[in-house]
Every structure is written in structure tokens, then in C-alpha cells.
Amino acid sequence: MRMDERKQKVLAAIVQDYIIGGEPVGSRSIARRYNLGVSPATIRNEMADLEEMGLLEQPHTSAGRIPSDYGYRYYVDCLMAPEELTAAEKEYIQRRYKQKMHEFEQMLEETARLISEMTAYTAVALGPNQKKAYLEQVQILPVQLSGKALLIAVTSTGLVEHRLFTIPDNTTEEDLQRLSKYLNDSLQGKVVEDIHRSILQDLYQEVIDQRELCNQVLEILRQVLALEGSKKIYLEGAFNILSQPEFKDLERVKKLLAFLEKEDALRRVFASTPEKGLSIRIGQENKHEGIDRCTVVTIDYNVEGKVAGKLGLLGPTRMQYSRVISVMNCIADCLSRSLQQFYR
Amino acid sequence: MRMDERKQKVLAAIVQDYIIGGEPVGSRSIARRYNLGVSPATIRNEMADLEEMGLLEQPHTSAGRIPSDYGYRYYVDCLMAPEELTAAEKEYIQRRYKQKMHEFEQMLEETARLISEMTAYTAVALGPNQKKAYLEQVQILPVQLSGKALLIAVTSTGLVEHRLFTIPDNTTEEDLQRLSKYLNDSLQGKVVEDIHRSILQDLYQEVIDQRELCNQVLEILRQVLALEGSKKIYLEGAFNILSQPEFKDLERVKKLLAFLEKEDALRRVFASTPEKGLSIRIGQENKHEGIDRCTVVTIDYNVEGKVAGKLGLLGPTRMQYSRVISVMNCIADCLSRSLQQFYR
DNA sequence: ATTAGCACTCGAGCCCAAAGAGTGCTAACA
DNA sequence: TGTTAGCACTCTTTGGGCTCGAGTGCTAAT
């Protein structure tokens, strides 16, 4: 069966109506609301064809049609007209990025919040992949009043990790300084994922005095760097989905929320889109259980022309695709520019 | 009407049965399950009295009784037998605190998770009130590779705040060092809430060269300290409430989740219990909208004998009070001890 | 003071009928 | 050959009416 122009129009009409109304769309309402110049009967025939082609589904015999996952896919790929954001909306987004943002983390959190707010779906922001970043600085800072010290690591992506620890008794401030300098000299500029345990072991071999201190510091460093590897993830608007009629069923909600609670699952789903730029996964294209009736949209954000991390969106397959795409594009763009400024 | 012993027994029986079963309790089942030595009819009379006294409620004429907020209150204050945790449970909690905890924040997060896990309600952990902490250390650290610097502030509660910023062009490393030393000398040991803008202004007056740098740093410091003031809050198990039968109603769930999403409201509710030690707010005793059908339990945790912060729990008024109290006591205790160790 | 007995109330569950939306098919039409 | 009007059919939704069961409150007897 061929996909002629009228079929396309009918499909687009059904998808659009269904996205707005959330209820199966019948032939009559299409004929009334769209001027296709044909009768409901003709549209019924087209709908039957579209169903046979796998683009539409019928919840039950006497209901209208709803788009299948493939139907949405075809709509997104071939039919959808891009919806521009209004000037006011664009400006609003930009204004949100104009306020003081002090740290990378805060920007991501704010971004997730903004996405969730503007789309009323659930938003996710993933930090940059730290494994490919390099260490800008490692330093041990004695905290004078408490007999403790602070280990600080700064990476090229602007993330700062720190850890307080208690200094062994027989350690002088000088020892700390020496070790700090030594560590920094050895590790500065190194790519994070290259700093294996073995490299740290080598360091350990070379520093012969202050075994206890050294031991402790290296262990902490190892942990801190491992932590950096696992990207941080910011989740906002998880409760938005409750407003979606497709989640009237509590069981489904529970499954979805259970999924959202598992950070690693979340990370896997959102980080695993291989495409560059914008990616849309509709319904069963998502392989993870619990989100097979959802659409996942992700988009890269960049720093200095290179992909830094991802922004994501989770909503029902019945999603306002064209609006969402505009929003994601605009926000990713603004974030990238803000970060650019941030890093200069 | 007086509260004689039999009334107490009947009330206790009803509360207990209702907590377990979640369904209105009838006179027959009380007579059967508890050996009160009287017939259902007598119990009915007592129940009618208890209802008149405001301790019980009837959902509708032909249903059993359920406890009112006052009923729960009376039960908690006068009737409830403390339920000891099993040895295994106690041990489990202790073991959870034996694993490596590197930072204050992590301990709180883990604590919230533990509470939520052991009670199946929603848990909250509030960081210590930073306003009364003093500054242990302020330091500016140049980050060599990027032309930036890191401002670090460590408080006596072990919280570390940091902020990356770009160094003005004409600034040397020496300038940074000088300013860092000067700041630290001036502010070290000062109580956070005493460091107003005016003190910072005074500093500003004294440092005459490097205006731009100084300006920037002081502004950042001000922000960072303000941030410290607003306690961090850790929320876990927000989705647990979905399993509670009283939240079958989606509308109610939405309201509650909306409340949980607003950090400041949350903070207000959980931080505002004036009592020392354990506090239980039942139903309408909670003044905040959306949680008038919930019970909020909070408990202090201590460091060096002084109240440091609060742990909290949110569940339906139909709560396993005696278990919850044991859990909260045990966890607050373990956390306090862990923190003690952490601070030495 | 307690209790047995009994009438009464109310909600849950079930069935059934009617209404309404929408379809698929057929035959007529351009 | 594509389009359309007409119509029978299907399926869900809604609401009434019914019974059943749990539980109460009252009364009168103990």
C-alpha cells in the first residue's frame, strides 16, 4: 500500500487531534475539523488502510483510532511542522540563563527545572562525561582549626570534588604541602579515566615517608575520581507525569516512578542515545522496562564545539512533539552559550 | 464522660487493628480478637462513647469506626506500647553506618534512605543549621590551567562550599594569595550568621588595591555564606506513599507530591518543630496544606551533645507509630554517634 | 451494668437496559 | 474507479435497580 498525500493528511490530522485531546479520533471529527474535501466514509477507508499499514490502532471496535508508535514515528519524521516558540517564550528562556549561575551543577539543575516547567513533562540533565576530562588541579588543604584536611580535585569541565579527612597524628603541615605538590605535579593535566589504580600505586611507591597519610590520600583520590566518572544526574518534574491521562492507572505510575528512582537505570537510558544532536525514542523503541509507553527525547549540549553532556525529557508517547523539539533546541542552545561564557 | 480502663482498651484495640488492616473496625471483630470479656454490644456502647468524645469517627453509618486525629494522639500519648526493634534490625542499622561515609552530606543522604527503607514512608534529613556554625577556613586557590580560581569555605559542621570564578586579567597569583590570607585571618572562627554584608564591606574598605578582584570575591563569599544558611535537605522514598491505600485518590497524591517538590515548604514543616528530641504531628496538627491527613515525625540528631539537625518522616496518620518511633530513635542515635566519630 | 435480639442504614457488587460513538460493509452514484 | 450515503453492528459508558453483607443503635430482658 502506498502512502499518498491524502493518507498523510489524515494521519497528521489524527496525530494532532489525539495529541491535543487524548481521546481516540473518529472519522467524523476529522472531516469536520479539517477541510479535506471528502466525506467521513472516505476518511474511514483511509483510516482502515493506515491501520493495516501499522500506523494507527483501534482500542476497540467502536472507538476512533489512535496513532501507534510507528504512527508517531512517521509523523515526527515526515509530517510534523516545526512549531516556533513565541518571542516571549524565547525571551523567558534566555532570561532564565541571565541570572547569576555560579557553578556548573547549578546550571544543570536549573536547566532541568526549566525544561520540566516549559513542557510539563519530566526533565533530566546529565553532567558531562568526566572520564574524558583532565585534571586541572589536585590540592590538599589543611583545615587549621580541626586537625583535618581537605582534598580538592578540579577537572577541566569545571567540576569540583572535595573530601574532608582526618590527618594522621604525626603529620606536619609541611608533609601535607609536599604531598599536595607532588600529587598535583604528577597528575595535573592527566585525563581522568587514565588515572587508574596502577598509576596511583606508582605514586605510592615513590613517596616513601608518611605511609599512613599517603595511603589515606591515595584511597580518597581514587574514590573521588571514580565518583567523577559517574555523571551526576538532575531530575525535575517527576510528578508531572501524574497529570497525564495515560497515567491514571496507579500500577503504571508506580512502575514508572520506580524506574525514575533508580539513578543508574536513568543514566543508562538517557546517556545511551548514540545519535548526535536531537534524538527521539518513541514507545517501544525504548528498551527499558517501565517506559515502553513513553517517549524519551534527548539533546546534546556543547562546550567549545564539543559535545559535553545531554539534556533529556520523558513524557507519554502522546507528546507535543513539535513544541518539545523547539523547547529542547532552544534550551540546549542557551545552556551551551551560557557554559561557553562560563568557561570563556 | 470519663476515660475508664475499658474505654482505653477498646480505643487501643481499634487503633491497632486499623493501623494493621486499614479498614474501619467493627465491634464484633474487637470482641473476637481481644479478650475483653464483654459482648459486641457492650463494645458498641463504648465505641459510641469514644466517638462522642471525639476519639473515633465513622465513615458512614453502617461501617466500623476509625480513629480520629485525637484518637491517634491519645493512643500515642497514653496507650501505645513501645515496640522494640529486633536485634537483626538494630544490627542492620548499625551496619549501614559502619560502611565508609566520607562526607557529612553523604551521611545525611544515606540516613534518609535508611529511614525510608525501614519504614516504607517518606523520609527527610535536614542538614545542621549553618548559621550558628563558625568558619573554619576560607581560602582562594588558583587553578593553574584555566585562569580561574576556587573559593573554598569550610565550616565547623564539616560542610564545604566552593565556587569557581574567573580571575580578573591583571591579577597575579600573589594578589590571590594575599587576599586569601587576609580573608582567612579576618573571618576564621567567626560565626556564619555574624558575617553580614557590613563586615564584608569593612574588609572591602581595607583592601585598597585589586578592586575588581576584591569586589568579585566578596560578592561570591556573601553568596556562598548565604547558601550555607539555607540548610540542605535530603528527601527519600517520596514514591512510597503511592503504596498507601489512603492515597488511592490521585488528587490527593498530586497535592502531596506538589508539597514535596517545594523545598522551602518542606524545610519549613520539618525544621519548625520546637520540641527537643522526638516530635509527632498528627493530621491536622500539621498546619501546612496538603499534609493535613499525614503524620510528621521528626527527631533531633546531636553532635557533641548539641542539637545539630533533624531527621523527619512523613506518612499517613494511619502509621505504625510504635515501630516508627523505635526506628527513628535508633537511627538518630546511630547517626549522632557516627557524626561524633566523624568529628572526633 | 450487660447483653441478646432486631430493625435499620449504607456501601459494594452485579445485572441490565439505553444511549452514544464509531465502525465496516454494501450499493448507488459520478 | 473512486466517493459517498445509508445502515446494521459492535462496544463502551452510564445509570437504575437489585441483593447481600457488615455494622450499627435501640429496646427490652437479665
Side-chain angles (χ1 to χ4, degrees), chain B residues 181-199:
Chain B
K181 183 163 173 5
Y182 181 73
L183 276 181
N184 195 47
D185 290 349
S186 317
L187 297 178
Q188 193 172 55
K190 281 229 163 53
V191 174
V192 170
E193 70 177 340
D194 293 345
I195 306 177
H196 321 284
R197 186 161 218 149
S198 61
I199 290 192

Short mmCIF file of all heavy atoms in Angstrom, two decimals, chain B residues 181-199:
data_model
loop_
_atom_site.label_atom_id
_atom_site.label_comp_id
_atom_site.label_asym_id
_atom_site.label_seq_id
_atom_site.Cartn_x
_atom_site.Cartn_y
_atom_site.Cartn_z
N LYS B 181 44.85 35.00 52.31
CA LYS B 181 45.35 35.02 53.69
C LYS B 181 44.61 36.07 54.51
O LYS B 181 44.20 35.83 55.65
CB LYS B 181 46.85 35.34 53.67
CG LYS B 181 47.48 35.31 55.06
CD LYS B 181 48.98 35.20 54.96
CE LYS B 181 49.69 35.32 56.31
NZ LYS B 181 48.84 35.41 57.49
N TYR B 182 44.41 37.19 53.88
CA TYR B 182 43.75 38.28 54.60
C TYR B 182 42.32 37.88 54.98
O TYR B 182 41.90 38.07 56.13
CB TYR B 182 43.73 39.52 53.71
CG TYR B 182 43.07 40.69 54.41
CD1 TYR B 182 43.72 41.36 55.45
CD2 TYR B 182 41.81 41.12 54.04
CE1 TYR B 182 43.10 42.41 56.11
CE2 TYR B 182 41.19 42.16 54.68
CZ TYR B 182 41.84 42.81 55.72
OH TYR B 182 41.23 43.83 56.37
N LEU B 183 41.61 37.30 54.02
CA LEU B 183 40.24 36.86 54.29
C LEU B 183 40.21 35.84 55.41
O LEU B 183 39.41 35.92 56.35
CB LEU B 183 39.63 36.22 53.04
CG LEU B 183 39.01 37.14 52.01
CD1 LEU B 183 38.45 36.30 50.87
CD2 LEU B 183 37.93 37.99 52.62
N ASN B 184 41.08 34.89 55.29
CA ASN B 184 41.10 33.82 56.29
C ASN B 184 41.41 34.37 57.67
O ASN B 184 40.75 34.03 58.65
CB ASN B 184 42.11 32.75 55.88
CG ASN B 184 41.90 31.47 56.66
OD1 ASN B 184 40.78 31.00 56.79
ND2 ASN B 184 42.98 30.93 57.21
N ASP B 185 42.39 35.24 57.75
CA ASP B 185 42.75 35.82 59.04
C ASP B 185 41.57 36.58 59.63
O ASP B 185 41.31 36.53 60.83
CB ASP B 185 43.95 36.75 58.89
CG ASP B 185 45.22 35.96 58.59
OD1 ASP B 185 45.17 34.71 58.72
OD2 ASP B 185 46.24 36.57 58.21
N SER B 186 40.85 37.27 58.77
CA SER B 186 39.77 38.11 59.28
C SER B 186 38.54 37.30 59.68
O SER B 186 37.84 37.65 60.62
CB SER B 186 39.33 39.12 58.22
OG SER B 186 40.43 39.68 57.59
N LEU B 187 38.29 36.24 58.94
CA LEU B 187 37.00 35.58 59.11
C LEU B 187 37.06 34.26 59.85
O LEU B 187 36.05 33.77 60.36
CB LEU B 187 36.36 35.33 57.74
CG LEU B 187 36.05 36.59 56.94
CD1 LEU B 187 35.48 36.23 55.57
CD2 LEU B 187 35.05 37.47 57.70
N GLN B 188 38.21 33.67 59.92
CA GLN B 188 38.34 32.36 60.54
C GLN B 188 37.81 32.42 61.99
O GLN B 188 38.14 33.32 62.75
CB GLN B 188 39.80 31.94 60.56
CG GLN B 188 39.99 30.48 60.90
CD GLN B 188 41.43 30.08 60.72
OE1 GLN B 188 42.32 30.70 61.31
NE2 GLN B 188 41.68 29.08 59.90
N GLY B 189 37.01 31.44 62.31
CA GLY B 189 36.48 31.38 63.68
C GLY B 189 35.22 32.20 63.87
O GLY B 189 34.53 32.06 64.88
N LYS B 190 34.88 33.02 62.91
CA LYS B 190 33.65 33.82 63.05
C LYS B 190 32.41 32.96 62.83
O LYS B 190 32.41 32.04 62.00
CB LYS B 190 33.67 34.95 62.01
CG LYS B 190 34.54 36.12 62.41
CD LYS B 190 33.77 37.43 62.24
CE LYS B 190 34.42 38.55 63.00
NZ LYS B 190 35.87 38.70 62.67
N VAL B 191 31.36 33.26 63.55
CA VAL B 191 30.10 32.56 63.36
C VAL B 191 29.45 33.03 62.05
O VAL B 191 29.43 34.22 61.75
CB VAL B 191 29.15 32.84 64.54
CG1 VAL B 191 27.78 32.23 64.26
CG2 VAL B 191 29.74 32.27 65.82
N VAL B 192 28.96 32.07 61.30
CA VAL B 192 28.50 32.37 59.95
C VAL B 192 27.45 33.48 59.93
O VAL B 192 27.51 34.40 59.12
CB VAL B 192 27.94 31.11 59.26
CG1 VAL B 192 27.24 31.45 57.96
CG2 VAL B 192 29.07 30.13 59.00
N GLU B 193 26.49 33.41 60.84
CA GLU B 193 25.41 34.40 60.74
C GLU B 193 25.88 35.80 61.14
O GLU B 193 25.19 36.77 60.89
CB GLU B 193 24.19 33.98 61.57
CG GLU B 193 24.38 34.03 63.05
CD GLU B 193 23.08 33.66 63.80
OE1 GLU B 193 22.01 33.75 63.19
OE2 GLU B 193 23.18 33.29 64.98
N ASP B 194 27.06 35.87 61.76
CA ASP B 194 27.58 37.19 62.11
C ASP B 194 28.30 37.87 60.94
O ASP B 194 28.64 39.04 61.02
CB ASP B 194 28.57 37.09 63.29
CG ASP B 194 27.84 36.67 64.57
OD1 ASP B 194 26.60 36.76 64.57
OD2 ASP B 194 28.51 36.26 65.52
N ILE B 195 28.55 37.10 59.92
CA ILE B 195 29.28 37.68 58.79
C ILE B 195 28.29 38.35 57.86
O ILE B 195 27.88 37.82 56.86
CB ILE B 195 30.07 36.59 58.04
CG1 ILE B 195 30.97 35.84 59.03
CG2 ILE B 195 30.93 37.22 56.95
CD1 ILE B 195 31.75 34.72 58.41
N HIS B 196 27.85 39.53 58.25
CA HIS B 196 26.90 40.26 57.43
C HIS B 196 27.61 40.91 56.27
O HIS B 196 28.82 40.92 56.18
CB HIS B 196 26.24 41.39 58.22
CG HIS B 196 25.91 41.03 59.61
ND1 HIS B 196 24.85 40.24 59.93
CD2 HIS B 196 26.53 41.34 60.77
CE1 HIS B 196 24.80 40.10 61.25
NE2 HIS B 196 25.82 40.76 61.78
N ARG B 197 26.81 41.51 55.51
CA ARG B 197 27.34 42.29 54.41
C ARG B 197 28.28 43.37 54.95
O ARG B 197 29.31 43.67 54.36
CB ARG B 197 26.16 42.95 53.69
CG ARG B 197 26.57 43.68 52.46
CD ARG B 197 25.39 43.90 51.55
NE ARG B 197 25.78 43.74 50.18
CZ ARG B 197 24.97 43.29 49.25
NH1 ARG B 197 23.76 42.93 49.55
NH2 ARG B 197 25.40 43.18 48.00
N SER B 198 27.91 43.94 56.10
CA SER B 198 28.69 45.09 56.59
C SER B 198 30.13 44.68 56.92
O SER B 198 31.07 45.41 56.62
CB SER B 198 28.01 45.68 57.82
OG SER B 198 27.95 44.71 58.84
N ILE B 199 30.27 43.51 57.52
CA ILE B 199 31.63 43.06 57.82
C ILE B 199 32.42 42.92 56.53
O ILE B 199 33.57 43.33 56.42
CB ILE B 199 31.60 41.71 58.55
CG1 ILE B 199 31.06 41.92 59.97
CG2 ILE B 199 32.99 41.10 58.59
CD1 ILE B 199 31.26 40.74 60.86
#
